[in-house]
Amino acid sequence: MVTVDTAVAPTSRTPGQEAGGLTPGRVLAWACLIAIIAITLFPFYWMLRTALSNGTTLATAGTSWLPVDFTWGAFRRVLGLATLEEAQAEGGTGSAVDFWVYLRNSVLVAALITAGQVFFGALAAYAFARMKWPGRDAVFFVLLTALMVPPIFTQLPNFLLMRDLGLVNTYAALVLPFFFMTPFAVFFLRQFFLGISREIEEAARLDGAGHVRTFFQLIIPMSWGPITTLALLQYVQAWNEYFWPLLVGSERSVRTLTVALGVFRSQTPQGSLDWPGLMAATLIAALPVLLLFIAFGRKIVDSIGFSGIK
Amino acid sequence: MTVTAVPAAGAPASGAPAVARRAGVSRDTWVALGFILPSVFGFVVFYLWPSVRGFGLSLTDYQFFTDTSFVGLANYQRLLTDETFWNAMLVTVWYVVLNIGFQTVLAVLLAVLLHRLTRSVVIRGLVLMPYLVANVVVALLWFWMLDAQIGIVNQVLSWFGIGSISFFGSESWAIPTIAFVNTWRHLGYTALLIFAGLVMIPRTLYEAGRVDGASEWQMFWRITMPLLRPVLALVLVITVVGSFQVFDTVAVTTMGGPSDASRVIQYYIYDLAFERLDYGYASAVSVVLLVILSVIAFVQLRLMRANESDLA
């Protein structure tokens, strides 16, 4: 638990670097770091480069740094803007991809999951951190044991539950198992609520505010930072989830982007894949997360030391 | 089980005034129970009950559409002679070893580089980028880059006179390739966990080391590694438990092939349950996976306790 307190805001301390100029060792170290960063980033560039290439001529210039025979065609195909002739001329299949449906499903499912997790997680975290009641620590411990259970173990029976309830291939099935609780959300917020000073709460109590009012009008506004961080982490996770949506949401009307990408890949026989189309689709599927990251990168990076406790 | 008992306790109705402590449950307790109710509901319905049901189903021959009967430990007996299961076990362990091997060494290197060279959040953000992208996206991206015919990696290899390698299509390459792809995705995340551990090591130790004339190399082995041990133990367990559950990459790229070479345990469970509809047996395999992961988690707790004093 020592890890938690110190790791929450590691960036704010001791800026600057070790003393010492450009020794050969430091040059070598920088070279290593730059090489790792290059290998990290290159695939993203390659995804973009392929997505902007023409599928029919792509194979002739496999190592070209720039897009081969530059075209927006792949994006137009994925977004359903291209005509059948256009698509086929550039190596696409011309079959409708229904990208907008999948995008809508992903946005909706991830948003609902995030909202539920953060709200109910905050309620529970408050009860565990700021209120005294019999059995509190025991209940908290039991909830945390859920961290230990590998997802597949509960997801097989959860699938049966959804089937018994007649919810397979509905949004409810996609959202419900993650909606009310994740041990991580409760744990994460509890840790922050523990740090809030008692005096503020007692002042509110003297003004006649009960726990419900204190929670909504005091604790929530004060904890906006950690709540946003948690929401970001959970949104990214829900957006990227594959296994559960694959089990209960394979039907077109509720299919999420990740599942759609898997289907797209498995339905196309190897060798004749529309690589630019596929890369355009993966790029668009990754885009919302990358945009969130550009906007809130520091928050996400800072929370990593913390989420390691997960 | 403790949980269900709490909200269900037949205490007097909520009219009990807050002052009357002796009369039973206080008003605060009722508010608290209200606050945790949704979470407890989620826990009971989607964690506790499925766990119990999973155990139960592993003792049956449940197959979705036929009559179900209790078969005792027959599924577990079947495991013992199921060659596909043992192969899946072996493949998974091979994957875990490779993945953890690549990942830990590279992540320690990256974390130390970050720690010694720069405090830039931008650089830390850049190395984290692959982690934020879905497994499916990462799998497809590398599936393309490692394509045997026109993938960039094979094109570059050919410059060095190395013939085309069918990374996902050959029995010996499939698992190392998947391990590499997932290392690429998780490297930054693991490195940042280790980085958080490095930040906690007091700077004065390095200053003292420098005064004593220790080289960077000596300081790494004498100061960094010993003090990093608890964090490393934790990180190792997180990554081992995670990599035992590899699924997305396999499902998108090789689908277990060629000829079971990449049929990892989680993919085998999925295949048993949803392709062969052999649900009871699939449950038994997932119970075994649960036991394996619990043992690892138990070792984690022991390791963490054993090392508690190091950073005190």
Side-chain angles (χ1 to χ4, degrees), chain B residues 2-247:
Chain B
T2 335
V3 187
T4 40
V6 175
S14 53
V19 270
R21 262 184 292 138
R22 236 171 294 161
V25 186
S26 74
R27 210 183 110 75
D28 269 12
T29 302
W30 282 109
V31 174
L33 292 183
F35 273 32
I36 64 162
L37 190 67
S39 290
V40 169
F41 172 78
F43 175 79
V44 172
V45 176
F46 297 109
Y47 287 91
L48 185 62
W49 166 238
S51 299
V52 175
R53 198 176 181 191
F55 275 117
L57 283 166
S58 76
L59 305 174
T60 70
D61 60 358
Y62 187 70
Q63 299 199 323
F64 285 107
F65 301 113
T66 53
D67 288 338
T68 304
S69 53
F70 181 79
V71 296
L73 294 174
N75 284 327
Y76 295 92
Q77 265 173 342
R78 182 176 153 196
L79 269 174
L80 296 175
T81 53
D82 179 356
E83 277 176 30
T84 319
F85 167 75
W86 289 107
N87 177 65
M89 235 27 238
L90 218 66
V91 167
T92 309
V93 170
W94 177 224
Y95 166 80
V96 171
V97 168
L98 283 178
N99 185 44
I100 300 305
F102 293 156
Q103 201 171 302
T104 313
V105 172
L106 284 172
V108 170
L109 173 72
L110 178 55
V112 171
L113 287 174
L114 287 174
H115 184 62
R116 303 303 274 170
L117 294 177
T118 174
R119 288 291 140 96
S120 158
V121 182
V122 174
I123 292 186
R124 268 185 279 155
L126 289 181
V127 300
L128 189 66
M129 255 174 75
Y131 181 73
L132 298 168
V133 177
N135 278 322
V136 177
V137 168
V138 170
L140 286 170
L141 174 56
W142 281 98
F143 194 61
W144 159 229
M145 292 184 48
L146 295 171
D147 183 78
Q149 269 95 46
I150 52 172
I152 177 70
V153 175
N154 270 311
Q155 303 265 356
V156 169
L157 286 179
S158 72
W159 295 347
F160 298 96
I162 301 170
S164 163
I165 299 172
S166 178
F167 285 99
F168 288 105
S170 95
E171 287 187 34
S172 48
W173 276 104
I175 282 294
T177 304
I178 293 166
F180 163 78
V181 169
N182 286 339
T183 298
W184 180 80
R185 179 171 186 262
H186 291 276
L187 179 63
Y189 177 76
T190 312
L192 288 189
L193 291 183
I194 298 172
F195 180 87
L198 288 174
V199 172
M200 285 187 292
I201 298 178
R203 267 181 133 56
T204 48
L205 288 178
Y206 290 102
E207 279 150 26
R210 194 162 294 115
V211 170
D212 290 346
S215 66
E216 283 282 333
W217 188 247
Q218 283 171 325
M219 287 200 282
F220 174 76
W221 286 110
R222 303 264 171 82
I223 301 172
T224 310
M225 282 311 268
L227 289 177
L228 208 52
R229 227 169 59 225
V231 177
L232 265 184
L234 177 67
V235 168
L236 264 180
V237 174
I238 294 171
T239 48
V240 170
V241 168
S243 29
F244 257 99
Q245 300 175 69
V246 56
F247 175 82

Side-chain angles (χ1 to χ4, degrees), chain A residues 41-86:
Chain A
L41 296 185
F42 177 76
F44 289 102
Y45 171 73
W46 206 245
M47 180 155 60
L48 180 67
R49 171 263 187 203
T50 309
L52 295 173
S53 295
N54 185 325
T56 47
T57 45
L58 183 64
T60 59
T63 52
S64 160
W65 274 91
L66 294 173
V68 181
D69 197 3
F70 179 94
T71 169
W72 290 104
F75 285 99
R76 291 170 52 84
R77 283 203 290 290
V78 170
L79 299 176
L81 301 172
T83 63
L84 187 63
E85 293 76 33
E86 272 176 356

Side-chain angles (χ1 to χ4, degrees), chain A residues 236-296:
Chain A
V236 169
Q237 204 178 342
W239 182 271
N240 289 342
E241 177 74 33
Y242 179 63
F243 193 74
W244 181 250
L246 179 70
L247 296 192
V248 297
S250 50
E251 197 141 283
R252 214 186 61 84
S253 61
V254 293
R255 192 183 288 167
T256 60
L257 270 176
T258 47
V259 178
L261 287 173
V263 171
F264 190 33
R265 144 82 180 101
S266 63
Q267 279 178 351
T268 336
Q270 205 165 347
S272 63
L273 271 177
D274 169 15
W275 286 115
L278 196 52
M279 286 301 112
T282 54
L283 197 61
I284 300 173
L287 206 58
V289 170
L290 294 179
L291 289 179
L292 278 181
F293 184 55
I294 290 168
F296 300 100

Side-chain angles (χ1 to χ4, degrees), chain A residues 168-243:
Chain A
V168 171
N169 285 321
T170 64
Y171 288 124
L174 287 161
V175 170
L176 279 177
F178 309 102
F179 189 69
F180 295 103
M181 111 120 187
T182 58
F184 177 66
V186 177
F187 178 75
F188 187 93
L189 289 178
R190 174 179 171 267
Q191 214 54 31
F192 285 99
F193 291 168
L194 281 174
I196 295 173
S197 87
R198 287 251 166 243
E199 284 91 42
I200 298 173
E201 222 178 349
E202 271 155 21
R205 189 67 31 83
L206 287 178
D207 289 346
H211 274 296
V212 178
R213 254 188 75 191
T214 312
F215 174 74
F216 283 104
Q217 295 188 350
L218 201 66
I219 304 292
I220 293 273
M222 278 177 73
S223 314
W224 215 235
I227 287 176
T228 328
T229 307
L230 178 70
L232 280 169
L233 289 175
Q234 306 296 71
Y235 192 87
V236 169
Q237 204 178 342
W239 182 271
N240 289 342
E241 177 74 33
Y242 179 63
F243 193 74

Side-chain angles (χ1 to χ4, degrees), chain A residues 43-191:
Chain A
F44 289 102
Y45 171 73
W46 206 245
M47 180 155 60
L48 180 67
R49 171 263 187 203
T50 309
L52 295 173
S53 295
N54 185 325
T56 47
T57 45
L58 183 64
T60 59
T63 52
S64 160
W65 274 91
L66 294 173
V68 181
D69 197 3
F70 179 94
T71 169
W72 290 104
F75 285 99
R76 291 170 52 84
R77 283 203 290 290
V78 170
L79 299 176
L81 301 172
T83 63
L84 187 63
E85 293 76 33
E86 272 176 356
Q88 282 168 344
E90 291 180 354
T93 57
S95 62
V97 194
D98 294 326
F99 181 85
W100 294 108
V101 177
Y102 309 145
L103 181 69
R104 179 200 67 196
N105 293 340
S106 273
V107 169
L108 205 66
V109 167
L112 283 171
I113 288 177
T114 306
Q117 282 181 357
V118 172
F119 180 65
F120 294 129
L123 279 177
Y126 180 79
F128 286 122
R130 312 298 303 189
M131 300 177 77
K132 284 206 179 77
W133 42 281
R136 182 186 67 179
D137 295 341
V139 174
F140 183 63
F141 178 78
V142 172
L143 289 195
L144 280 192
T145 58
L147 280 172
M148 294 292 175
V149 183
I152 190 162
F153 185 66
T154 47
Q155 277 169 348
L156 290 190
N158 271 336
F159 170 80
L160 289 188
L161 180 65
M162 290 307 156
R163 199 202 50 176
D164 296 347
L165 294 173
L167 292 176
V168 171
N169 285 321
T170 64
Y171 288 124
L174 287 161
V175 170
L176 279 177
F178 309 102
F179 189 69
F180 295 103
M181 111 120 187
T182 58
F184 177 66
V186 177
F187 178 75
F188 187 93
L189 289 178
R190 174 179 171 267
Q191 214 54 31

